[in-house]
Amino acid sequence: MIPASITVGDIATALNVSANGDRSRPIRAVSSLSEATGEELACLSSDQYLNEFRTTRAGAVIVGKKVKLPGDAAGNGSPALLVVDDADLSMAKVLAMFAPAIPRPPLGKHHTAFVAPSASVAEGVRVGPNVFVGDDARIGRNCVLHAGVYVGAEVSIGDDCEFFPNVVVRERITIGSRVIVHANTAIGSDGFGYRWDGKQHLKVPQIGTVIIEDDVEIGSCVCIDRAKFAATRIGRGTKIDNLVQVAHNVILGPHCILAGQSGVAGSAKLGAGVVLGGQSAVRDHVTMGDGSMLAACSGVMDDTEPKSIVSGLPAIPHRQALREHAALRKLPELVAEVRELQTQVAELTRRLQSP
Amino acid sequence: MIPASITVGDIATALNVSANGDRSRPIRAVSSLSEATGEELACLSSDQYLNEFRTTRAGAVIVGKKVKLPGDAAGNGSPALLVVDDADLSMAKVLAMFAPAIPRPPLGKHHTAFVAPSASVAEGVRVGPNVFVGDDARIGRNCVLHAGVYVGAEVSIGDDCEFFPNVVVRERITIGSRVIVHANTAIGSDGFGYRWDGKQHLKVPQIGTVIIEDDVEIGSCVCIDRAKFAATRIGRGTKIDNLVQVAHNVILGPHCILAGQSGVAGSAKLGAGVVLGGQSAVRDHVTMGDGSMLAACSGVMDDTEPKSIVSGLPAIPHRQALREHAALRKLPELVAEVRELQTQVAELTRRLQSP
Amino acid sequence: MIPASITVGDIATALNVSANGDRSRPIRAVSSLSEATGEELACLSSDQYLNEFRTTRAGAVIVGKKVKLPGDAAGNGSPALLVVDDADLSMAKVLAMFAPAIPRPPLGKHHTAFVAPSASVAEGVRVGPNVFVGDDARIGRNCVLHAGVYVGAEVSIGDDCEFFPNVVVRERITIGSRVIVHANTAIGSDGFGYRWDGKQHLKVPQIGTVIIEDDVEIGSCVCIDRAKFAATRIGRGTKIDNLVQVAHNVILGPHCILAGQSGVAGSAKLGAGVVLGGQSAVRDHVTMGDGSMLAACSGVMDDTEPKSIVSGLPAIPHRQALREHAALRKLPELVAEVRELQTQVAELTRRLQSP
């Protein structure tokens, strides 16, 4: 599935740079500096990894132009060097060259799949075994529904989407184009809303929907709940990691990043490009300004300014949190010091009173 | 699926209140004050939203009786007003009026479902595509098993339950009536228990079960483990949000609320009406008293008093936690102040010693 | 499914101890001291539970040899006593005696399962309804694939593995022998990696794999992502609880324990026997030394020493964290005390300046 042979020259051409070394050398895989063999390519993105670079046996190395290479880096037997503007970006391109194809169901509908007669399935769609597509659902061109995917009634899906096995999309959800959803994720379950009626929790009907815009990617075991009314919305280009909770009526702006196990409570609103660290939490009804960041394992209880960085629980500006942590490290001895001061001051007071 | 037309009058009748305005006005959906159109109903539950109310274009507004309406609220072109005792409770009733029907599999068993011959399936049950029902399982009246649901051998399910796609209920679990379980949840997996035998972790068999009482609702991607022996128990009317972990031998009382991503470790015991905030954690073997609350992102390590509110990590009484947070905000400058005091006291001491 | 009758004598023989009491008494189940009936066995592992022991109605009790039994513990009508070296280990053995068989699909392939013609399935394998096995996959001897399991193309699975319903293993993953994976877990989804190209998050291809070694057990709704390149690796004998996130390129050593809802970020490396508490988090690229422990609800940001115990956020040595917590409890009054000291010192200073 990987092209039969890729050479150092092929990679240099793809990255539009020159190659310092043997252009005909074959490269069969990508690896790390410390583990790469002579037929593998590695990456040196910062001076931090110069030690690994000195002893690498990689056949080729992508080098960020900021890196200060040792003088003998391009000697005999050394790896071919490809110096690039942005090592990480170039690495992404090279990984794409080596990416094996994703195994997909064949074109058309597997005979074990159930597709409602009233559903509309565009050309180029692949429907795997045991897939369910409900009444009046619409599946856009070239979509891939892997085995066991559930697409509820009246769901609308754009073009070029890929849903991995056992993804569940409940009824009446709208999904854009080029959306990727990984295995075992649930979209459109009821929001979590109850009213205590004096004897029991009365279920508040969750009659809204979920709208997922174009170019969104969603990890595995993610939950995105339908709105109480109107819509929970995931903005264009937003990326969501595994095991993330997005509650009802949440609005995520475009290009947000939600790291693994983060959670956004009901009706919270994230602006454009907001970043949530792993295991972080956003309180219900909080608004996070464009480009603001919440650190990992932190919980934000109040609105955040655009471009601010907050951390801790409750989250405060990150610099202040660092100062508090530093002070906290000194707190046990501070208590002792205050006790000592109290003794000294009592002694001084005594002496002044009885001279 | 929504009734063809609902008028302001219909809603007023359903809520048993009078309508201030045009009773014949058609209402087609529910929305927020800021987004509602003339054919939509919104809700004003507190003075906090009076600004949105002033500019709303909603056709009708449910108003909590505590809200201080502006004098001209019922003028020409204004929304019809329905003043109610409890705005949220009324809203729940109105949402039910507008709730579209949940698409369900037809009565009977889909031809791709596997139902063991020894299983007992009562009347009115709907078994969707690719459902699995194991030996000697019992499914009560009017239950709905959506596509891909797995019900293990000897599972007993009461009446009027609904299990959404790809829910897994392992063998020998007992579930009451009117229980709702959302997509991709796993009930009855082995509890997490091992014994180190000097060389490896020896698996401790988890031979118990799970008992889920009536009127429980469980979100998506929730894990409720079977007991080591005896039973993990979810009390009547308890509601569990998405991505929650309930470990082996946990006992949850009736009417508890477990918010998203919370976790309860082995053998912990929650009394009646206990509330766990999002991403909170309960240590193993801890007992939480009736009506006690654990704040979001907090972790409780010790038993809690009935009706207490605790927060932080380790969780302490919430008021104390707030005082500590306030003090922590001052800690960096407190360190500086203590340093200054030390200087002053040293100076005073020096002066007193050499007058 | 449980043997028709097990007697106290059978259990004593299995544990290789003598039984103090009636060896012929039948035992039908395992329970707790407080709930056991005369035909049930319970366990007394520490003095802490002596009160429950005094009033137990259990037919037999396993007693750890360290427990100080009351003098009349073996009187008439008392439970049969089996005194053992290690009560918990013995209990694990007894639980295994009483463990009902797990209901499994019959030998061979269910007619609704899809197994690619090029896949290799060894003898003794059980493939349940609606299972998917992709091209060139290899399933070792005696494996059990419960209903709805997805095994992607080119996956290799060793002998004696059991995958519970709806588990998803994406393409090109390698799994050892005696691996257990619980319901609704996803292995091999893409790692979470993007590069901002100035306009959007560009997906970094995740072309690596996952290697799961022998004797690993993985809970429900767990996510183990495939590597960016090379492999995410789960070491031999490691046990992973429910709802755990293991990101791309993570290396877990042998015999680690990851409790529920913990998360390990990209490229982190855990040594042998590392323990993560529930809801804890490991930052990306962090290395945790052999045998180190991260407390529940804590987040480690820096490398840990072998055998160290760390807690808090950011995690610090656990003893220090306890000292800081104790000091924090005093902080609000410390602030007041410093204010009082400031007043006293100002007064002393005033007096010294104007004698």
Side-chain angles (χ1 to χ4, degrees):
Chain A
M1 301 189 292
I2 307 172
S5 85
I6 295 176
T7 64
V8 168
D10 294 336
I11 296 168
T13 303
L15 299 180
N16 198 22
V17 297
S18 62
N20 188 343
D22 176 7
R23 290 180 61 90
S24 67
R25 193 184 294 199
I27 297 296
R28 304 203 188 282
V30 178
S31 189
S32 62
L33 285 166
S34 57
E35 294 182 0
T37 69
E39 297 199 327
E40 292 178 332
L41 172 140
C43 179
L44 175 58
S45 57
S46 104
D47 290 349
Q48 186 181 351
Y49 302 108
L50 275 172
N51 274 340
E52 283 87 343
F53 175 74
R54 285 192 187 92
T55 57
T56 188
R57 292 170 294 134
V61 177
I62 289 179
V63 181
K65 67 177 179 187
K66 293 176 197 161
V67 175
K68 289 174 188 161
L69 282 181
D72 58 349
N76 235 352
S78 301
L81 301 183
L82 300 111
V83 180
V84 300
D85 289 348
D86 180 332
D88 289 341
L89 197 56
S90 298
M91 198 60 176
K93 288 177 185 168
V94 170
L95 286 168
M97 294 175 72
F98 285 92
I102 294 175
R104 293 180 169 128
L107 279 170
K109 180 185 99 63
H110 193 268
H111 72 274
T112 59
F114 171 85
V115 178
S118 60
S120 149
V121 178
E123 59 183 284
V125 170
R126 296 161 188 269
V127 176
N130 305 317
V131 165
F132 175 94
V133 177
D135 291 337
D136 299 310
R138 300 174 62 89
I139 315 288
R141 283 183 295 183
N142 306 322
C143 284
V144 182
L145 306 181
H146 286 271
V149 164
Y150 177 97
V151 175
E154 298 178 50
V155 167
S156 170
I157 300 177
D159 298 337
D160 304 304
C161 292
E162 182 152 21
F163 291 8
F164 284 96
N166 294 350
V167 162
V168 174
V169 181
R170 289 271 308 275
E171 65 273 14
R172 293 181 294 112
I173 303 298
T174 302
I175 295 180
S177 291
R178 297 173 304 281
V179 170
I180 301 171
V181 185
H182 291 282
N184 288 353
T185 276
I187 299 174
S189 296
D190 286 356
F192 191 67
Y194 303 91
R195 284 285 304 170
W196 182 252
D197 75 352
K199 290 186 180 171
Q200 63 188 329
H201 297 294
L202 176 75
K203 183 172 173 68
V204 177
Q206 305 289 312
I207 73 173
T209 185
V210 177
I211 298 172
I212 296 178
E213 298 181 357
D214 293 345
D215 298 303
V216 165
E217 184 164 0
I218 300 171
S220 280
C221 297
V222 169
C223 297
I224 302 179
D225 279 356
R226 67 175 56 239
K228 181 171 155 188
F229 53 80
T232 303
R233 180 180 290 267
I234 312 296
R236 181 169 42 91
T238 282
K239 312 297 184 185
I240 300 179
D241 200 355
N242 300 328
L243 291 161
V244 169
Q245 154 81 339
V246 178
H248 53 176
N249 292 83
V250 163
I251 305 289
L252 301 185
H255 308 303
C256 293
I257 293 280
L258 278 66
Q261 299 177 314
S262 57
V264 185
S267 301
K269 197 170 173 179
L270 275 60
V274 167
V275 176
L276 301 187
Q279 290 193 355
S280 66
V282 180
R283 189 189 189 149
D284 59 287
H285 291 87
V286 158
T287 295
M288 293 187 68
D290 291 352
S292 58
M293 298 178 65
L294 175 62
C297 304
S298 299
V300 68
M301 304 292 178
D302 297 295
D303 293 356
T304 62
E305 294 295 317
K307 299 201 178 174
S308 59
I309 303 177
V310 296
S311 72
L313 180 69
I316 54 174
H318 186 54
R319 287 188 175 196
Q320 186 186 343
L322 290 177
R323 276 197 306 270
E324 289 183 8
H325 277 130
L328 195 53
R329 292 298 93 89
K330 300 173 192 158
L331 182 57
E333 73 186 59
L334 192 72
V335 173
E337 288 171 331
V338 170
R339 296 284 167 272
E340 170 64 19
L341 277 171
Q342 288 170 326
T343 305
Q344 292 174 5
V345 170
E347 170 66 13
L348 287 170
T349 304
R350 193 189 54 76
R351 277 209 249 166
L352 266 178
Q353 282 168 345
S354 56
Chain B
M1 299 192 294
I2 307 173
S5 84
I6 294 177
T7 65
V8 168
D10 295 334
I11 297 169
T13 301
L15 298 180
N16 198 22
V17 298
S18 61
N20 187 343
D22 177 8
R23 290 179 62 91
S24 67
R25 194 183 293 200
I27 297 295
R28 305 203 188 282
V30 178
S31 188
S32 61
L33 286 167
S34 57
E35 293 181 1
T37 68
E39 296 198 328
E40 291 178 333
L41 172 140
C43 180
L44 175 60
S45 57
S46 103
D47 291 349
Q48 186 181 350
Y49 302 108
L50 276 172
N51 274 340
E52 284 87 343
F53 174 76
R54 284 191 188 91
T55 57
T56 189
R57 290 171 294 134
V61 177
I62 288 177
V63 181
K65 68 177 178 186
K66 294 175 196 160
V67 175
K68 289 174 186 160
L69 282 182
D72 58 350
N76 236 351
S78 302
L81 300 183
L82 301 112
V83 179
V84 299
D85 287 348
D86 181 332
D88 289 341
L89 197 57
S90 298
M91 199 61 175
K93 289 178 185 168
V94 170
L95 287 167
M97 295 174 71
F98 285 93
I102 294 175
R104 293 181 169 126
L107 279 171
K109 181 185 96 67
H110 193 269
H111 71 274
T112 59
F114 171 86
V115 177
S118 60
S120 148
V121 177
E123 59 183 283
V125 169
R126 296 160 188 270
V127 176
N130 306 317
V131 165
F132 175 95
V133 178
D135 291 337
D136 299 311
R138 299 174 62 89
I139 315 287
R141 283 183 295 183
N142 306 321
C143 284
V144 182
L145 306 181
H146 286 271
V149 164
Y150 177 97
V151 176
E154 297 179 50
V155 167
S156 169
I157 300 178
D159 298 336
D160 304 304
C161 292
E162 183 153 23
F163 291 7
F164 285 97
N166 294 351
V167 163
V168 174
V169 182
R170 290 270 307 276
E171 64 274 13
R172 294 181 292 114
I173 304 297
T174 302
I175 296 181
S177 290
R178 296 173 304 280
V179 170
I180 302 171
V181 185
H182 290 281
N184 289 354
T185 276
I187 299 174
S189 296
D190 285 356
F192 191 68
Y194 304 91
R195 283 286 305 168
W196 182 252
D197 75 353
K199 290 185 180 173
Q200 63 189 327
H201 298 294
L202 176 75
K203 181 171 174 69
V204 176
Q206 305 289 313
I207 72 173
T209 184
V210 177
I211 298 172
I212 296 179
E213 299 181 355
D214 293 344
D215 298 303
V216 166
E217 184 165 359
I218 300 171
S220 281
C221 296
V222 168
C223 297
I224 302 179
D225 280 356
R226 69 174 55 240
K228 182 172 156 189
F229 54 79
T232 304
R233 181 180 289 267
I234 312 295
R236 180 169 44 92
T238 281
K239 312 297 185 184
I240 300 179
D241 199 356
N242 300 328
L243 291 160
V244 169
Q245 154 80 340
V246 179
H248 54 175
N249 293 84
V250 164
I251 306 288
L252 301 185
H255 307 303
C256 293
I257 292 281
L258 278 65
Q261 298 178 315
S262 57
V264 186
S267 301
K269 196 169 173 180
L270 276 60
V274 167
V275 176
L276 301 187
Q279 290 193 355
S280 66
V282 180
R283 189 187 189 151
D284 60 286
H285 291 88
V286 158
T287 296
M288 294 186 67
D290 291 353
S292 59
M293 298 178 65
L294 175 60
C297 303
S298 299
V300 68
M301 304 292 177
D302 296 296
D303 293 357
T304 62
E305 295 295 316
K307 300 202 177 174
S308 59
I309 303 177
V310 296
S311 72
L313 180 68
I316 54 173
H318 185 55
R319 287 191 173 190
Q320 185 185 345
L322 290 177
R323 277 198 305 271
E324 289 184 8
H325 277 129
L328 195 53
R329 294 295 93 88
K330 298 173 191 157
L331 182 57
E333 75 187 55
L334 190 72
V335 172
E337 289 171 332
V338 170
R339 296 284 167 271
E340 170 65 19
L341 277 171
Q342 287 169 326
T343 305
Q344 292 175 5
V345 169
E347 170 65 14
L348 288 170
T349 304
R350 192 188 57 74
R351 276 210 249 165
L352 266 179
Q353 282 167 344
S354 56
Chain C
M1 300 187 295
I2 306 173
S5 84
I6 296 176
T7 64
V8 168
D10 295 335
I11 297 169
T13 302
L15 299 180
N16 199 21
V17 298
S18 62
N20 188 344
D22 176 7
R23 288 180 63 92
S24 67
R25 196 184 292 201
I27 297 295
R28 305 203 188 283
V30 178
S31 189
S32 61
L33 286 167
S34 57
E35 294 182 0
T37 69
E39 297 199 327
E40 291 178 333
L41 173 141
C43 180
L44 174 59
S45 57
S46 104
D47 291 349
Q48 186 180 352
Y49 302 107
L50 275 172
N51 273 340
E52 283 87 344
F53 174 76
R54 285 191 188 93
T55 57
T56 188
R57 290 171 295 134
V61 177
I62 290 178
V63 180
K65 67 177 179 188
K66 293 176 198 160
V67 175
K68 290 175 187 159
L69 281 182
D72 58 348
N76 233 354
S78 302
L81 300 183
L82 300 111
V83 179
V84 300
D85 287 349
D86 182 331
D88 289 341
L89 197 55
S90 298
M91 198 62 175
K93 288 178 186 168
V94 171
L95 287 169
M97 294 175 71
F98 285 93
I102 294 175
R104 293 181 169 125
L107 279 169
K109 182 187 97 66
H110 192 268
H111 71 274
T112 59
F114 171 86
V115 177
S118 60
S120 149
V121 178
E123 59 183 284
V125 170
R126 297 161 188 268
V127 176
N130 306 315
V131 165
F132 176 95
V133 178
D135 291 337
D136 299 310
R138 299 175 62 89
I139 315 287
R141 282 184 295 182
N142 306 322
C143 284
V144 182
L145 305 181
H146 286 272
V149 163
Y150 178 97
V151 176
E154 298 179 50
V155 167
S156 170
I157 301 178
D159 299 336
D160 304 305
C161 292
E162 182 153 23
F163 290 8
F164 285 97
N166 294 349
V167 162
V168 174
V169 181
R170 289 271 307 275
E171 64 274 13
R172 294 181 291 112
I173 303 297
T174 301
I175 296 180
S177 291
R178 297 172 305 280
V179 170
I180 301 170
V181 185
H182 291 281
N184 288 353
T185 276
I187 299 174
S189 296
D190 286 356
F192 191 67
Y194 303 92
R195 284 285 305 167
W196 182 252
D197 77 351
K199 290 185 179 171
Q200 62 188 328
H201 297 294
L202 177 74
K203 182 172 173 69
V204 177
Q206 305 290 313
I207 73 173
T209 185
V210 177
I211 298 172
I212 296 179
E213 299 181 358
D214 293 344
D215 298 304
V216 166
E217 183 165 0
I218 300 172
S220 281
C221 296
V222 168
C223 297
I224 301 178
D225 280 355
R226 67 175 56 238
K228 182 172 156 188
F229 54 81
T232 304
R233 182 179 288 268
I234 312 296
R236 179 169 45 91
T238 281
K239 312 296 184 185
I240 300 179
D241 199 357
N242 300 328
L243 291 160
V244 169
Q245 153 81 339
V246 179
H248 53 176
N249 293 84
V250 163
I251 306 289
L252 301 186
H255 307 303
C256 293
I257 293 279
L258 279 66
Q261 299 178 313
S262 58
V264 185
S267 301
K269 197 170 172 179
L270 276 60
V274 168
V275 176
L276 301 187
Q279 291 194 355
S280 66
V282 181
R283 190 188 188 149
D284 58 287
H285 291 88
V286 158
T287 295
M288 293 186 68
D290 291 353
S292 59
M293 297 179 66
L294 175 61
C297 303
S298 299
V300 68
M301 305 291 177
D302 296 295
D303 293 357
T304 62
E305 295 294 317
K307 299 202 177 173
S308 60
I309 303 177
V310 296
S311 72
L313 181 68
I316 55 174
H318 185 54
R319 286 190 174 192
Q320 185 184 346
L322 290 177
R323 277 198 304 271
E324 290 183 7
H325 277 130
L328 194 52
R329 292 298 92 89
K330 300 173 191 157
L331 182 57
E333 74 187 58
L334 191 73
V335 173
E337 289 172 330
V338 170
R339 296 285 167 272
E340 170 65 18
L341 278 171
Q342 287 169 327
T343 304
Q344 293 174 5
V345 169
E347 170 65 13
L348 288 170
T349 305
R350 193 187 56 74
R351 277 209 248 166
L352 267 179
Q353 280 167 344
S354 55

